[in-house]
Amino acid sequence: MDTISHSIIAPKLTIFRYGLSPSKHLTLRSNSTARTNAASRSRVSAGIKIQNPPIDFSDPDWKSKFQSDFEKRFNLPHITDTFPDAEPIPSTFCLKMRTPVTEEFRGGYPSDEEWHGYINNNDRVLLKTIYYSSPTSAGAECIDPDCTWVEQWVHRAGPREKIYFKPEEVKAAIVTCGGLCPGLNDVIRQIVITLEIYGVKKIVGIPYGYRGFSDKELAEMPLTRKVVQNVHLSGGSLLGVSRGGPGISEIVDSMEERGINMLFVLGGNGTHAGANVIHKECCRRGVKVAVVGVPKTIDNDILLMDKTFGFDTAVEEAQRAINSAYIEAHSAFHGIGIVKLMGRSSGFIAMHASLASGQIDICLIPEVPFHLHGPHGVLRHLKYLIETKGSAVVCVAEGAGQDFLKQTNAKDASGNAILGDIGVHLQQETKKYFKEIGITADVKYIDPTYMIRACRANASDGILCTVLGQNAVHGAFAGYSGITVGICNTHYVYLPIPEVISYPRLVDRNSRMWHRCLTSTGQPDFE
């Protein structure tokens, strides 16, 4: 059986490009190894909208058909799909009782029907809020060549009045996968606290990602409010993390042996793909399990969401590195500071950190190709900055400029391509260039990668993690499975996992935010 990182097949995607006839489409297959490809980066250029399936715009009813298809695709999988006879019970999450319900439930399940704090199953959140009048508008996200306004609604997150699991029968498990990210402990803590409020007594943590399901030497960790009370005060993960893991059958076998019927998975695209396959395998076996994801990616590259937890903290922590680079560059004769930030396929951290600092002269991200040499290259602009300002600071995302580096085709345990070090390459090329043209340059390189991802979540991320953790539990008790929770247009929503893992969310080079970054840095076009 293949490991979990190799058992996931990405869906086929179709891209409609403005200017082509509706019958002409570009079709490609997305996977975790193609994230840094030029084809992937080009998806976010102006006038491109991913459609699945293709739309026949010559059909006068295409809009209603699109909305109908959208509603079907974003319909949330529910345990009643597999267990149609599953009976809901009154929610044990209510304001009448703030202490966990007793094991006996002698008086029946408590109810708070007069409380207007529950979410109706028909509540929806609008996915897109801007009406673009033209596909040439900055950042336009259009469905058809005329940029027709089409309402797209997704499910609102929160506690439901009826639940599909009896708390005394629940054994919940939490697993954190992939790399570290600020806020992991905050989410773990809030999931445990909310589960206990519902009345769950059996809560465990699976150590070191999916690996913990198969490694007999790794015992599950009992979790209670007392155990997690202060874990959010430090970075890292109480449960540990790892990439890859055993096969899907082995994971579900382990879940059945342990009696786990709620699984909360914290991770990025690959981890969510694994969670979706686990959900499907449980459905195939007829096992009543709710599998709920919480998107964890410091790169902020999950589709459809305003942001993911850890991102704000990463941007804030990056300020310290940028400021250090600025001081080094500003204090030296012809000083140049280079800072490499995280961002395998998306440059959100680099872009936002550059905007926040106000000290960056050049921001380089994976989505926007650039030349190092030549009359319009980065190095020529650095020469201009040295001549006019006397110093310069460069911020580069780790996935930028990979075309300049030797490709090894090596992959990590998650199936991601192992990137070359663009920061070191940029440092070496800068030194070489200035030496060749006979100009003194003092180049300093700073790589704060692991310092950023290992720190404690800031206040903004702390709030986001708290609400995400709560809503993950609400979603599981409501009977949803194969879903993830996120924030969309400032509201918290549930989304089917397949809709958020098709490909990484990327910076749109025609977006207003990227334009703002370019205005802030004053950099020219390096293509």
Side-chain angles (χ1 to χ4, degrees), residues 32-66:
S32 61
T33 63
R35 292 183 179 182
T36 57
N37 288 351
S40 296
R41 292 195 294 266
S42 69
R43 297 178 195 172
V44 293
S45 39
I48 295 179
K49 179 68 180 177
I50 305 269
Q51 302 294 354
N52 186 16
I55 301 173
D56 179 9
F57 294 114
S58 64
D59 185 346
D61 296 325
W62 74 263
K63 183 176 177 179
S64 61
K65 290 180 179 178
F66 173 86

Side-chain angles (χ1 to χ4, degrees), residues 300-348:
N300 197 36
D301 61 352
I302 299 288
L303 288 176
L304 307 178
M305 299 180 187
D306 293 355
K307 63 180 178 180
T308 52
F309 74 82
F311 173 70
D312 276 354
T313 306
V315 172
E316 185 173 312
E317 286 297 310
Q319 301 307 299
R320 299 167 61 186
I322 291 173
N323 189 53
S324 296
Y326 173 80
I327 292 173
E328 286 284 354
H330 194 66
S331 301
F333 177 69
H334 289 176
I336 298 175
I338 300 173
V339 180
K340 186 183 77 172
L341 298 177
M342 300 183 80
R344 291 185 56 84
S345 58
S346 59
F348 288 103

Side-chain angles (χ1 to χ4, degrees), residues 179-180 182 243 298 340 342 398 447-455:
L180 289 180
R243 298 187 184 277
I298 202 170
K340 186 183 77 172
M342 300 183 80
E398 62 180 325
D447 180 359
T449 300
Y450 294 102
M451 293 177 63
I452 287 177
R453 75 177 197 174
C455 66

Side-chain angles (χ1 to χ4, degrees), residues 278-433:
I278 292 171
H279 154 70
K280 289 184 176 181
E281 178 65 12
C282 289
C283 292
R284 189 187 69 81
R285 296 189 186 189
V287 180
K288 185 182 177 183
V289 177
V291 181
V292 178
V294 181
K296 177 233 61 165
T297 167
I298 202 170
D299 292 347
N300 197 36
D301 61 352
I302 299 288
L303 288 176
L304 307 178
M305 299 180 187
D306 293 355
K307 63 180 178 180
T308 52
F309 74 82
F311 173 70
D312 276 354
T313 306
V315 172
E316 185 173 312
E317 286 297 310
Q319 301 307 299
R320 299 167 61 186
I322 291 173
N323 189 53
S324 296
Y326 173 80
I327 292 173
E328 286 284 354
H330 194 66
S331 301
F333 177 69
H334 289 176
I336 298 175
I338 300 173
V339 180
K340 186 183 77 172
L341 298 177
M342 300 183 80
R344 291 185 56 84
S345 58
S346 59
F348 288 103
I349 293 179
M351 176 175 68
H352 283 257
S354 297
L355 268 168
S357 73
Q359 297 172 318
I360 296 297
D361 298 294
I362 298 174
C363 178
L364 305 173
I365 61 175
E367 295 89 340
V368 182
F370 59 91
H371 289 107
L372 279 179
H373 298 276
H376 303 294
V378 172
L379 296 175
R380 178 65 66 89
H381 187 60
L382 277 175
K383 176 176 178 288
Y384 168 78
L385 293 171
I386 290 297
E387 292 172 342
T388 56
K389 290 181 57 183
S391 63
V393 183
V394 180
C395 178
V396 58
E398 62 180 325
Q402 291 299 304
D403 294 342
F404 301 127
L405 307 174
K406 183 179 180 181
Q407 305 299 313
T408 64
N409 296 321
K411 296 179 176 58
D412 63 20
S414 296
N416 299 315
I418 295 178
L419 303 178
D421 196 327
I422 183 61
V424 170
H425 180 77
L426 189 57
Q427 177 194 30
Q428 293 172 344
E429 289 297 307
T430 302
K431 289 182 176 180
K432 180 181 176 183
Y433 172 78

Side-chain angles (χ1 to χ4, degrees), residues 133-185:
S133 62
S134 167
T136 61
S137 296
E141 297 179 14
C142 302
I143 296 170
D144 71 323
D146 296 323
C147 234
T148 303
W149 170 253
V150 181
E151 292 183 354
Q152 302 170 64
W153 299 96
V154 293
H155 291 250
R156 187 184 179 197
R160 267 57 173 175
E161 192 172 343
K162 300 293 182 180
I163 58 177
Y164 285 81
F165 289 88
K166 295 181 178 180
E168 75 274 20
E169 297 176 356
V170 168
K171 181 176 181 181
I174 307 171
V175 61
T176 56
C177 306
L180 289 180
C181 179
L184 280 169
N185 284 333

Side-chain angles (χ1 to χ4, degrees), residues 99-287:
T99 55
V101 293
T102 61
E103 295 181 5
E104 295 81 7
F105 296 97
R106 288 196 177 94
Y109 291 93
S111 177
D112 203 354
E113 295 177 356
E114 296 180 359
W115 181 45
H116 297 295
Y118 294 118
I119 299 298
N120 190 292
N121 285 335
N122 293 320
D123 285 356
R124 297 291 186 271
V125 172
L126 192 61
L127 185 63
K128 305 294 182 184
T129 57
I130 299 178
Y131 167 65
Y132 296 100
S133 62
S134 167
T136 61
S137 296
E141 297 179 14
C142 302
I143 296 170
D144 71 323
D146 296 323
C147 234
T148 303
W149 170 253
V150 181
E151 292 183 354
Q152 302 170 64
W153 299 96
V154 293
H155 291 250
R156 187 184 179 197
R160 267 57 173 175
E161 192 172 343
K162 300 293 182 180
I163 58 177
Y164 285 81
F165 289 88
K166 295 181 178 180
E168 75 274 20
E169 297 176 356
V170 168
K171 181 176 181 181
I174 307 171
V175 61
T176 56
C177 306
L180 289 180
C181 179
L184 280 169
N185 284 333
D186 301 63
V187 178
I188 293 170
R189 177 179 182 270
Q190 202 57 223
I191 289 175
V192 171
I193 289 173
T194 310
L195 283 168
E196 286 196 350
I197 290 175
Y198 269 95
V200 178
K201 300 294 184 181
K202 293 175 286 186
I203 310 170
V204 299
I206 305 299
Y208 300 105
Y210 287 128
R211 182 190 306 274
F213 282 109
S214 62
D215 194 328
K216 302 302 180 184
E217 296 181 1
L218 299 176
E220 62 187 29
M221 179 186 299
L223 299 175
T224 63
R225 179 164 191 153
K226 185 176 181 179
V227 172
V228 303
Q229 183 61 41
N230 296 315
V231 297
H232 64 301
L233 301 180
S234 60
S237 170
L238 171 69
L239 306 178
V241 295
S242 71
R243 298 187 184 277
I248 297 300
S249 293
E250 192 172 355
I251 291 176
V252 178
D253 287 344
S254 178
M255 290 173 60
E256 288 192 86
E257 291 171 7
R258 301 167 190 246
I260 294 170
N261 51 9
M262 277 190 188
L263 178 64
F264 299 96
V265 182
L266 284 58
N269 277 316
T271 301
H272 270 67
N276 192 54
V277 180
I278 292 171
H279 154 70
K280 289 184 176 181
E281 178 65 12
C282 289
C283 292
R284 189 187 69 81
R285 296 189 186 189
V287 180

